[in-house]
Amino acid sequence: MPYNHALTASQSGFTMDAFLLKKVLSNVVHIIPGAFVALLIGVALLGRWPRLARLGILLITLSLLALSSAPVSNTILGSLENRYPVMQSLPEDTELVLVLGSGHHWVPDRPPNSILMASALSRLSEAVRLWKTRPQAMLMTSGARFRSELSHARTMGNMALALGMDESRLVLSEEARDTDDEIAAALQWMQHNGTASGRLVVVSSAMHLPRAAMLLSGQPVAYSMAPTDFRVVDAPWYRFNSLHLSDADWAVHEYVGMLWYRLSR
């Protein structure tokens, strides 16, 4: 299977300690853990400022309840998911299809479809579907090993082969740890293996693509976005569900990531 040392931690200028710090801090901007921390603070303040603490606890609880409703969750998700139309087939000038990683839970002796997260499986199946419309293009899977025996890139690659992918058209980026690394690896491949007129197609969850597009903005390569794994659902407002809350949580995470990118550039 083709192997691509697309980008190492040292090449990206990002040490492992900095990477872990980034991941720890990113948890703070998630709604669910942030809300629980705020609730704990509210409980701790009940003895000193009871009225203020009770008001804060009530507002946080009502906010979580509202975010568990489809209309509220869909409003937050919609502006992210509706930015790019579904791609029916690859453009004729496509040279590389990049599948952004999403994680897997390693268990020995289980097939890749049983260990890939649902979002990763959705991204990969869409990428393979698109690749089959232009099989002369290359497909890059990405993701480091972390605590797994196999890298995420190789796990997705194995699944791609099971879906009918041509092994000779598969490229692995096994050092990429986040979206920045994945985009950098794809750009590096395009620079060394593509042509000046070649196109990069990025496949990812619809809510994730706007942030990925920001990383490609200004780069000297033609690119297109192929959304999948849509989370907006048609459900009545009174049917509260933890899945709606989780989707809103990840949408807020994407918004914060986009804001961080703008502030850091």
Side-chain angles (χ1 to χ4, degrees):
M1 184 179 295
Y3 189 91
N4 181 10
H5 291 282
L7 188 70
T8 64
S10 59
Q11 286 174 314
S12 66
F14 208 44
T15 66
M16 180 57 72
D17 288 342
F19 174 76
L20 291 176
L21 178 61
K22 174 185 174 182
K23 289 302 180 183
V24 171
L25 292 178
S26 69
N27 288 327
V28 179
V29 301
H30 276 287
I31 293 174
I32 297 175
F36 279 114
V37 170
L39 285 173
L40 288 175
I41 294 174
V43 171
L45 294 176
L46 280 172
R48 187 162 187 176
W49 296 297
R51 294 182 62 182
L52 181 61
R54 281 196 291 267
L55 177 61
I57 292 173
L58 177 62
L59 291 176
I60 294 170
T61 303
L62 291 176
S63 297
L64 291 175
L65 184 63
L67 291 169
S68 301
S69 176
V72 177
S73 178
N74 289 347
T75 299
I76 298 174
L77 284 169
S79 61
L80 292 173
E81 290 199 342
N82 296 332
R83 297 195 187 187
Y84 303 101
V86 173
M87 184 176 289
Q88 302 301 328
S89 61
L90 289 178
E92 293 185 359
D93 58 348
T94 301
E95 293 188 348
L96 179 65
V97 179
L98 169 65
V99 191
L100 297 181
S102 186
H104 67 275
H105 302 288
W106 173 256
V107 179
D109 302 323
R110 287 188 183 177
N113 60 290
S114 295
I115 62 177
L116 284 170
M117 295 176 63
S119 54
L121 196 56
S122 178
R123 297 177 186 186
L124 182 65
S125 59
E126 176 68 1
V128 173
R129 181 191 72 80
L130 288 171
W131 172 81
K132 288 181 178 180
T133 68
R134 186 174 173 78
Q136 60 267 45
M138 302 294 289
L139 189 148
M140 176 184 286
T141 59
S142 57
R145 187 172 65 87
F146 296 106
R147 295 188 299 173
S148 171
E149 291 185 13
L150 293 181
S151 69
H152 186 56
R154 188 167 293 276
T155 302
M156 294 184 76
N158 290 340
M159 188 67 235
L161 295 179
L163 292 173
M165 178 78 198
D166 183 349
E167 183 176 351
S168 67
R169 312 309 294 173
L170 186 62
V171 179
L172 304 183
S173 174
E174 300 189 292
E175 302 295 329
R177 297 171 299 178
D178 54 19
T179 306
D180 296 61
D181 282 357
E182 292 173 313
I183 296 296
L187 292 174
Q188 185 183 70
W189 188 95
M190 292 289 289
Q191 179 182 4
H192 294 155
N193 303 280
T195 63
S197 59
R199 178 174 299 273
L200 168 66
V201 172
V202 182
V203 181
S204 189
S205 301
M207 77 164 75
H208 182 49
L209 281 180
R211 181 156 62 96
M214 293 180 68
L215 299 175
L216 284 167
S217 178
Q219 296 293 337
V221 62
Y223 64 90
S224 298
M225 297 304 193
T228 187
D229 187 33
F230 293 91
R231 304 296 182 87
V232 171
V233 295
D234 184 16
W237 68 267
Y238 53 81
R239 190 170 295 171
F240 300 98
N241 194 308
S242 61
L243 293 178
H244 301 320
L245 176 59
S246 177
D247 290 341
D249 184 21
W250 279 106
V252 169
H253 179 77
E254 291 297 329
Y255 283 118
V256 172
M258 293 165 67
L259 176 62
W260 173 258
Y261 177 82
R262 290 193 179 97
L263 294 176
S264 61
R265 292 301 185 273

